[in-house]
Amino acid sequence: MRVVAWILTLLLVLFGLGLAALTLGAFAALSAGAPLWLRSVGSLESAMSAGLGWADIPGFTRALVLAVLTSAVAALGAYIKPR
């Protein structure tokens, strides 16, 4: 059971890191002064949101939802971690 918990924790941490990068990119896409590579991550997030049908939601709202989702995934990964 501990091995499954460690694997699930690792997967949740990796998923959380991916979501964190998308969140950072989503916030960077809102600013014209952000570095180009960071705005590129924001355009990736924008394309993924359009694929999911969330293109009509404003960018700031999508970024906030991603931030909350990232926090929830990170908290779940920390909660499941074997002690």
Side-chain angles (χ1 to χ4, degrees):
M1 188 65 177
R2 286 179 70 97
V3 172
V4 174
W6 275 112
I7 291 171
L8 187 58
T9 299
L10 181 64
L11 288 175
L12 284 171
V13 165
L14 291 175
F15 185 58
L17 287 174
L19 281 174
L22 288 176
T23 302
L24 189 60
F27 278 115
L30 298 173
S31 170
L36 181 62
W37 67 272
L38 203 49
R39 285 186 288 159
S40 298
V41 176
S43 64
L44 174 68
E45 182 275 328
S46 204
M48 290 175 64
S49 293
L52 293 173
W54 298 344
D56 55 341
I57 299 174
F60 185 71
T61 305
R62 281 195 325 256
L64 283 179
V65 168
L66 274 173
V68 170
L69 186 61
T70 301
S71 299
V73 168
L76 186 60
Y79 180 74
I80 291 177
K81 184 180 87 65
R83 290 157 185 84

